[in-house]
Amino acid sequence: MTLLDVKHLSVRYGALTIVNDVSFSISEGEWLMIVGPNGAGKSTIVSAISQGTPYTGEVFVQGRNIKSLRARDLAQTIGVLAQSHAMGYGFTVGAVVRLGRYAYSPGLFSGSRDEDEAMVTRALELTGLTRFAEQNVLTLSGGELQRTFLAQIFAQNPRVLLLDEPTNHLDLVYQKQTFELITEWLKTPGRAVVSVVHDLSLAKAYGTRGLLLDGGKTIVCGETGEVFAPEYINHAYSMDVAAWMRRMLAQWQEEGTR
Amino acid sequence: MRHNSQPGAGGVSPSPAPSVYGGRREGFRAGELVLFSLATLATMALCVCVGSVSLPLKETLTVIWNTIVGLPVPQGISVPIILSVRLPRVLCVALTGAALSICGGAMQGLLKNPLADGSTLGVSSGAALGAVIAIAFGITLPGIPFAGTMVLAIAFAFLSLLVILSLAHKIDYSMSTNTIILVGVIYSMFVSSILSLIVTFASDHVKQITFWTMGSLLGASMQNALVLFGSLIVFGGIILRYARELNAFAISEDNARNVGVPVRQVKLTLLIAVSALIGVCVSVGGTIGFVGLVTPHMVRMIVGPNHRRLLPASLFGGAIFLMLADLVARILLNPVELPIGVVTSFVGAFLFIVIFYRSRRARL
């Protein structure tokens, strides 16, 4: 089943075209990796789909035009994880995660249903944050903060995850943890993931499909094997990507055999 | 702390029992409500008793109580002082403090800006301009005596907020704290230049206009208190209704959108409620600066940043803070009375610097 269908999406700031007529769709169980050099328009696509940036074209979720959905229905369908979070006030981790249940019970006197509590508890467990629940978010490390917002999305329980460079400023351990958590999340039927990723190795390892952008335009969209083929990727990045990766890896192999 | 736990692994309790964090305990607790109410009532009693003429507490309480329940009021010189001078004024001060503080709390959350407040953003100045225009040009509404001033103050408060926010948005898309404050300062200067212009042309109204720019609740009536109370119930109620949404905005507007808050609608409703409350306060007591800035910060230290606790606590905290400020204004240079705005701005300016300094340090 197609969960997200993006048709002829364009974003313009005045005369500047950031995203130019991009179309793609993803189905249940798929993980689409949006890749491309800086300034290709990757993050803008995520921002447009989450209704944070004005766009032309159409976006459908489960067959319904996204603009016809109420904010709360949209949040039950799509969950967005930003690449970083600047916290201003000292909320507890539990309070941030609990906001993920807002879409299911808006209003003042809600948020105390058993189902909501169970989802929040589970999201904290999944992300390993249970013992941080009462901790002030201002005291967390970057990785812990990112996990807090991942837990918020898990509590939100959407069909599609939209991730904007989710591990951009995280170290290797957190990158591995985050990508494995999302792989686990994706195993439940009826779910799909779209993520913007800089690291091509990560994209190749975890993605099922790819969308390569350059200068706001689609270069290629399809199975990861096809998208990461040298003829496309080398052109977009203006270098021999695979050769460079092999050279990097060779250093590790040499050290390993020494 | 950092890498010691694999997600999902480790000491996780499987029990689905009610969780201990936030949630069920997020709201204002009954005990706290009683405590804050008692503190407010005690401050109120103190402020009615103390002044240029000090009155014994027991006599004051008897007079007020008998009036409320309809018993015969004991005669004496103190009765008119209590019932027509002190009590209406203290009530107006308390309600103004509560209203301005809940507005400050709401704006600090909505704009994710610890320095936001009616006075720092220039909304109060805008409301005062509306009030002054109504006076200088004799704009009134038929029927209700001070409705013209009030309606214009509310309209100008809302317009000011729109102008300030859209200007800040144009200058700096991310609407950073500093940009908004800077635009607020510029706007306040602009408004005060127009005020000076009006003073020049309408010199027979100078005294009234000065009153509006300095802020004072001298001579406030029971009628004023009723209007303040009514608006606080309506608009304060709206703000309290959106406490959860304000939590989301205080994390970030993007996060509010992501979790499903109808961002535009909630923002507009809150801005209208805040403008209306500030407009009413300014039309009754003039511009009283920094109350809405100071109170939420002090209250946050006690009840934390969650708006479901912060907003109700700000109501009580603001009432107490402004009543005490008014008391200081009345007795510090007795028999000369200071404008209340002088006292609040004195405290507020110091706090503003402390907050600003801390928030700059935190970013480095």
Side-chain angles (χ1 to χ4, degrees):
Chain A
M1 189 179 71
T2 304
L3 286 178
L4 183 69
D5 197 1
V6 176
K7 286 181 175 162
H8 307 293
L9 183 83
S10 294
V11 177
R12 291 182 190 90
Y13 296 134
L16 201 65
T17 302
I18 311 289
V19 177
N20 192 354
D21 194 21
V22 170
S23 301
F24 62 87
S25 69
I26 49 157
S27 306
E28 200 177 318
E30 290 182 333
W31 186 339
L32 177 79
M33 295 288 186
I34 304 181
V35 294
N38 282 334
K42 307 183 294 292
S43 298
T44 310
I45 289 180
V46 168
S47 173
I49 296 173
S50 60
Q51 308 298 300
T53 298
Y55 61 89
T56 56
E58 281 166 324
V59 179
F60 295 92
V61 281
Q62 295 178 291
R64 293 165 71 188
N65 192 319
I66 208 167
K67 284 189 171 157
S68 71
L69 295 178
R70 287 181 308 169
R72 148 173 28 145
D73 295 330
L74 180 62
Q76 290 182 15
T77 319
I78 295 183
V80 187
L81 183 64
Q83 58 175 289
S84 63
H85 313 270
M87 298 299 294
Y89 299 104
F91 289 99
T92 60
V93 169
V96 172
V97 176
R98 176 160 289 97
L99 268 174
R101 296 305 295 170
Y102 174 85
Y104 298 88
S105 52
L108 191 60
F109 299 105
S110 41
S112 57
R113 298 182 309 157
D114 286 336
E115 193 194 335
D116 294 327
E117 291 302 309
M119 287 300 287
V120 171
T121 308
R122 206 171 136 54
L124 287 167
E125 281 172 18
L126 271 174
T127 48
L129 287 171
T130 306
R131 64 202 171 83
F132 290 92
E134 280 292 356
Q135 197 163 322
N136 181 338
V137 289
L138 296 177
T139 65
L140 298 178
S141 72
E144 287 156 357
L145 192 60
Q146 186 66 326
R147 267 199 287 162
T148 302
F149 281 91
L150 194 62
Q152 188 192 61
I153 290 197
F154 286 167
Q156 193 175 327
N157 194 27
R159 310 294 294 271
V160 179
L161 271 192
L162 270 186
L163 313 169
D164 185 6
E165 299 181 32
T167 58
N168 202 24
H169 59 296
L170 302 186
D171 63 33
L172 276 177
V173 178
Y174 275 125
Q175 289 190 9
K176 180 168 171 285
Q177 281 182 1
T178 307
F179 276 83
E180 280 172 4
L181 266 174
I182 294 166
T183 307
E184 269 307 305
W185 183 87
L186 191 56
K187 282 181 183 162
T188 304
R191 290 174 169 176
V193 181
V194 176
S195 63
V196 171
V197 173
H198 256 305
D199 188 323
L200 295 173
S201 306
L202 279 173
K204 211 167 150 66
Y206 289 93
T208 62
R209 288 165 61 80
L211 169 65
L212 175 62
L213 296 173
D214 193 11
K217 285 196 201 127
T218 305
I219 304 299
V220 60
C221 181
E223 300 294 316
T224 34
E226 184 192 349
V227 172
F228 291 91
E231 68 253 46
Y232 298 120
I233 211 100
N234 290 355
H235 182 72
Y237 287 88
S238 319
M239 64 183 279
D240 188 342
V241 174
W244 186 66
M245 295 272 187
R246 271 196 294 274
R247 209 169 72 223
M248 303 276 281
L249 195 61
Q251 290 182 352
W252 292 97
Q253 281 165 339
E254 273 167 32
E255 278 172 22
T257 51
R258 200 175 286 162
Chain B
M1 210 47 142
R2 293 201 62 197
H3 296 141
N4 50 3
S5 83
Q6 274 293 98
V12 161
S13 101
S15 73
S19 65
V20 286
Y21 33 83
R24 290 163 203 238
R25 297 193 342 198
E26 252 182 18
F28 214 43
R29 275 163 244 163
E32 287 171 327
L33 190 67
V34 171
L35 218 67
F36 274 98
S37 308
L38 283 180
T40 309
L41 288 175
T43 315
M44 205 174 268
L46 173 79
C47 290
V48 174
C49 290
V50 179
S52 52
V53 181
S54 279
L55 306 166
L57 180 66
K58 195 167 168 243
E59 190 190 337
T60 310
L61 292 181
T62 313
V63 169
I64 295 174
W65 178 252
N66 287 6
T67 313
I68 294 172
V69 296
L71 286 172
V73 176
Q75 292 304 305
I77 182 72
S78 60
V79 176
I81 297 184
I82 294 169
L83 289 183
S84 35
V85 181
R86 293 263 174 91
L87 190 62
R89 174 171 181 161
V90 170
L91 279 177
C92 280
V93 169
L95 289 164
T96 303
L100 290 176
S101 300
I102 196 174
C103 287
M107 281 200 273
Q108 286 169 20
L110 186 67
L111 302 173
K112 196 188 169 184
N113 185 336
L115 292 174
D117 160 41
S119 48
T120 53
L121 260 62
V123 184
S124 308
S125 318
L129 178 62
V132 165
I133 288 176
I135 295 166
F137 297 99
I139 298 169
T140 49
L141 289 184
I144 319 156
F146 53 94
T149 329
M150 192 170 289
V151 168
L152 241 67
I154 293 172
F156 269 69
F158 184 64
L159 284 177
S160 306
L161 208 44
L162 281 189
V163 168
I164 294 155
L165 292 182
S166 47
L167 204 61
H169 188 77
K170 272 244 187 286
I171 294 173
D172 172 7
Y173 186 71
S174 67
M175 301 248 281
S176 74
T177 309
N178 299 348
T179 311
I180 293 179
I181 297 302
L182 198 62
V183 172
V185 169
I186 296 165
Y187 185 79
S188 298
M189 285 171 158
F190 171 72
V191 165
S192 67
S193 75
I194 296 184
L195 276 176
S196 309
L197 194 72
I198 294 175
V199 168
T200 318
F201 286 109
S203 49
D204 44 333
H205 294 295
V206 170
K207 203 155 182 231
Q208 271 173 298
I209 291 171
T210 314
F211 159 82
W212 250 281
T213 49
M214 299 277 268
S216 167
L217 284 150
L218 179 68
S221 66
M222 267 306 180
Q223 199 188 8
N224 292 143
L226 270 178
V227 170
L228 282 169
F229 185 70
S231 355
L232 192 58
I233 294 285
V234 176
F235 300 112
I238 293 175
I239 295 172
L240 282 174
R241 153 76 184 71
Y242 285 114
R244 265 181 103 203
E245 285 79 355
L246 280 169
N247 283 343
F249 274 105
I251 291 172
S252 75
E253 192 173 322
D254 279 335
N255 196 249
R257 183 183 301 107
N258 293 346
V259 298
V261 176
V263 170
R264 270 170 172 275
Q265 179 216 316
V266 171
K267 206 174 186 179
L268 192 66
T269 312
L270 280 170
L271 290 181
I272 290 173
V274 162
S275 318
L277 262 186
I278 291 178
V280 171
C281 288
V282 167
S283 66
V284 171
T287 51
I288 301 171
F290 292 104
V291 189
L293 175 76
V294 173
T295 317
H297 277 280
M298 297 206 281
V299 169
R300 214 175 271 123
M301 284 185 233
I302 304 169
V303 300
N306 192 317
H307 287 81
R308 292 171 79 171
R309 295 159 56 68
L310 177 68
L311 294 177
S314 291
L315 282 175
F316 293 107
I320 294 170
F321 173 69
L322 203 59
M323 282 193 285
L324 292 177
D326 187 54
L327 188 65
V328 170
R330 280 190 286 143
I331 62 173
L332 190 65
L333 298 177
N334 191 16
V336 179
E337 190 180 314
L338 288 171
I340 188 172
V342 172
V343 180
T344 58
S345 298
F346 190 80
V347 179
F350 274 107
L351 196 87
F352 185 96
I353 294 169
V354 171
I355 302 164
F356 197 58
Y357 180 74
R358 270 212 219 135
S359 66
R360 298 287 292 200
R361 287 269 305 230
R363 224 171 301 144
L364 293 176

